[in-house]
Amino acid sequence: MSPWTSSVGAPQLARLLGSQHGRDAVTPLTGRRSPAYRSLADGIRLLVLEGRVPVAARLPAERELATALSVSRTTVAAAYEALRGEGFLESRRGAGSWTAVPAGNPLPTRALEPLPPEAAGSVIDLGCAAMTAPEPWLTRSFQGALEELPPYAHTHGDYPAGLPALRRAVADRYTARGVPTMPEQIMITTGAMGAVAAICRQLAGRGERVAVDSPSYANVLQLMREAGARLVPVAMAGGIGGWDLPAWRQVLRDAAPRMAYVIADFHNPTGALASEEQRRELVEAARAAGTVLVADETMSELLLDPEVELPRPLCAFDPAGSSIITVGSASKSIWAGLRIGWVRAAPDVIRSLVAARAYADLGTPVLEQLAVAWLMGSEGWDSAIAIRRAEARESRDAVVGALRRHLPDWEFAVPHGGLTLWARTGGLSGSRIAEAGERLGVRVPSGPRFGVDGAFEGYVRLPFTVRGPVAEEAATRLAEAARLVASGATAAAEVPRTYVA
């Protein structure tokens, strides 16, 4: 049996290594140049740690990679030998060399998994944009759900389209936002990811082009990759200015993608808010190209600056419902542990999605649906949102202030809402900062997780999930990680200091 499960060609590996911009070939503080083999070994190791080169992937032969990189074969051979010594490469005569991880190291993934709660005392987890539940409303919602449960307990419990009560409550919220909606236009899903996965199964099969914001939400990008979609990145406008409409019009015209995935409201990761005019123009361009726009609204409730006026939903510019499919969720607005999402689309699209669901997850848990229906049917939803906004606003201001004190050369625009900040790391590798930071006890995702083909090496994403002394300590550890990366040193593998959350 082959010891490797996939392979990486020399041109592909050269392109991925090139996305790191060679920033670390010269140590910024000392001006000393790292040996070529060391830079190559470090680059491949980072690609493995980032998950951009899979574990157990066969690497190109030394001669092939040397030709693709325009370096000597001796350089590649020395880099491979260094990786073998560190446990990141295994080789066998006749089988080649393939990537590995040292014993005891977790397998890397494209996305950052949440840390288990028991690790919270020693590691500051800025990997996931998720906050604690807005009590007492979560508990009250489940108490209300239990009171409503008995009639449903006498049924089989499978509701592929969702509970009628929740479909009606979600439809009523769209209607209150100025977009008349019927329950027949709503399907309840297991979180927003369940919604996007269902849509991808319908529209983004293997080989289909899908246009995406660049950067975009890492988990959705990986979901589409695994579905076999051909991702077509479209660069965001600078700062938090929303979309680059000329770029979008060109991609829609030239690539004619079957589907486009966009985040108009407090974009993840940049925090951008698309203007009303941008929304109108993008819908018109998509309609002309025959492209279905999937609008992710999971952050839409999290407006943090009351003086900012929130534009109408993207679906408001598609009265016929032919061009827009909207995805929403209670996970960011209320609590990530409440895995309830939904799709809003034309009734015939909803029927197709519901029919296909029999081959996926059949339905969404009834009790959680009843809890969200209780929140939406009472003062609970708006009260919980008010708590969430206040906490996120406090966290945003704390994170921004700490970054400005400890990392003044990092560049970022302060978003008006959402849960994420997109920071340029002063010319340093975001991947290396993330690696050093994890050893120092602060966990952040680097920019390439949110791009296509290794883009955004010079960025990290920082969520608004900590405040007070914890935000200050997180910035202190990140500053130390940046200092280590700039000096060419590595973080000591010591147990980080505990902190009080």
Side-chain angles (χ1 to χ4, degrees):
M1 181 180 292
S2 170
W4 41 271
T5 57
S6 61
S7 61
V8 181
Q12 179 187 4
L13 184 55
R15 185 172 65 252
L16 289 169
L17 289 165
S19 72
Q20 297 173 342
H21 307 304
R23 293 181 186 275
D24 299 290
V26 177
T27 333
L29 294 185
T30 66
R32 292 194 299 268
R33 179 171 293 276
S34 301
Y37 85 89
R38 185 69 261 173
S39 295
L40 176 56
D42 287 348
I44 294 174
R45 177 171 53 84
L46 275 174
L47 291 173
V48 173
L49 290 171
E50 278 284 310
R52 288 186 280 154
V53 169
V55 175
R58 187 180 186 274
L59 294 186
E62 294 171 2
R63 191 184 305 277
E64 293 174 359
L65 185 56
T67 299
L69 294 174
S70 299
V71 299
S72 71
R73 182 178 176 181
T74 303
T75 296
V76 177
Y80 278 14
E81 183 60 34
L83 289 168
R84 277 190 288 270
E86 296 165 2
F88 285 94
L89 196 69
E90 296 181 10
S91 302
R92 183 192 302 167
R93 185 178 297 277
S97 299
W98 59 94
T99 56
V101 292
N105 278 36
L107 289 175
T109 61
R110 291 267 188 182
L112 273 177
E113 302 296 333
L115 280 177
E118 58 267 23
S122 59
V123 179
I124 302 174
D125 188 5
L126 298 181
C128 299
M131 302 182 75
T132 57
E135 292 288 32
W137 296 106
L138 180 71
T139 298
R140 290 184 185 177
S141 72
F142 275 93
Q143 291 169 342
L146 287 171
E147 293 176 3
E148 299 290 334
L149 182 61
Y152 296 94
H154 293 290
T155 73
H156 51 61
D158 287 335
Y159 294 86
L163 294 186
L166 182 54
R167 296 177 75 191
R168 188 178 310 111
V170 173
D172 288 346
R173 289 197 66 82
Y174 277 105
T175 300
R177 293 169 65 192
V179 187
T181 303
M182 304 178 296
E184 292 78 11
Q185 292 176 263
I186 302 296
M187 180 177 83
I188 305 302
T189 62
T190 307
M193 287 296 291
V196 176
I199 296 165
C200 286
R201 285 193 294 271
Q202 290 288 101
L203 298 178
R206 190 161 298 278
E208 291 283 359
R209 292 188 183 93
V210 177
V212 294
D213 298 328
S214 184
S216 189
Y217 179 42
N219 287 340
V220 166
L221 293 181
Q222 183 62 11
L223 184 156
M224 292 177 178
R225 289 187 189 100
E226 293 182 357
R230 297 165 59 189
L231 300 183
V232 183
V234 186
M236 297 289 292
I240 54 173
W243 295 315
D244 183 339
L245 263 301
W248 267 105
R249 282 192 289 266
Q250 181 176 347
V251 165
L252 293 174
R253 181 180 63 249
D254 296 346
R258 175 82 182 279
M259 179 180 118
Y261 170 79
V262 296
I263 309 173
D265 300 291
F266 310 123
H267 177 267
N268 185 355
T270 68
L273 178 64
S275 69
E276 185 138 329
E277 186 57 32
Q278 287 176 327
R279 296 172 193 232
R280 179 182 292 105
E281 290 185 27
L282 184 58
V283 172
E284 291 173 354
R287 186 180 296 120
T291 298
V292 176
L293 285 177
V294 177
D296 187 332
E297 289 190 339
T298 53
M299 297 282 191
S300 63
E301 298 270 16
L302 298 177
L303 175 64
L304 305 185
D305 296 325
E307 68 276 10
V308 174
E309 185 176 352
L310 196 64
R312 288 179 292 167
L314 205 62
C315 56
F317 302 94
D318 180 41
S322 59
S323 300
I324 308 293
I325 299 177
T326 302
V327 170
S329 171
S331 296
K332 301 299 185 187
S333 304
I334 307 297
W335 187 48
L338 197 60
R339 304 305 305 159
I340 298 296
W342 51 84
V343 177
R344 181 199 182 275
D348 61 318
V349 174
I350 294 297
R351 286 193 294 270
S352 296
L353 292 173
V354 171
R357 193 171 190 180
Y359 308 102
D361 64 353
L362 292 177
T364 302
V366 169
L367 188 63
E368 284 80 350
Q369 291 189 70
L370 288 171
V372 175
W374 184 92
L375 285 168
M376 289 185 172
S378 69
E379 63 175 324
W381 184 271
D382 290 337
S383 298
I385 293 295
I387 293 172
R388 173 64 71 244
R389 287 174 174 169
E391 291 176 342
R393 186 183 304 114
E394 182 182 350
S395 295
R396 179 196 62 181
D397 295 346
V399 168
V400 166
L403 287 176
R404 286 175 172 164
R405 282 187 290 275
H406 296 282
L407 290 155
D409 57 334
W410 282 22
E411 302 171 38
F412 53 84
V414 181
H416 298 297
L419 289 173
T420 60
L421 184 147
W422 187 238
R424 188 193 298 268
T425 53
L428 300 175
S429 162
S431 298
R432 295 185 188 276
I433 289 172
E435 182 189 11
E438 187 143 5
R439 296 181 187 179
L440 290 167
V442 59
R443 200 163 177 256
V444 296
S446 61
R449 297 183 184 277
F450 305 90
V452 177
D453 288 336
F456 308 111
E457 181 60 46
Y459 290 83
V460 295
R461 188 195 74 169
L462 301 168
F464 313 140
T465 55
V466 294
R467 52 191 183 274
V470 182
E472 201 72 24
E473 179 65 18
T476 300
R477 296 183 188 186
L478 282 174
E480 175 64 10
R483 187 192 68 78
L484 289 168
V485 171
S487 68
T490 56
E494 62 183 30
V495 178
R497 299 181 299 277
T498 58
Y499 65 93
V500 179

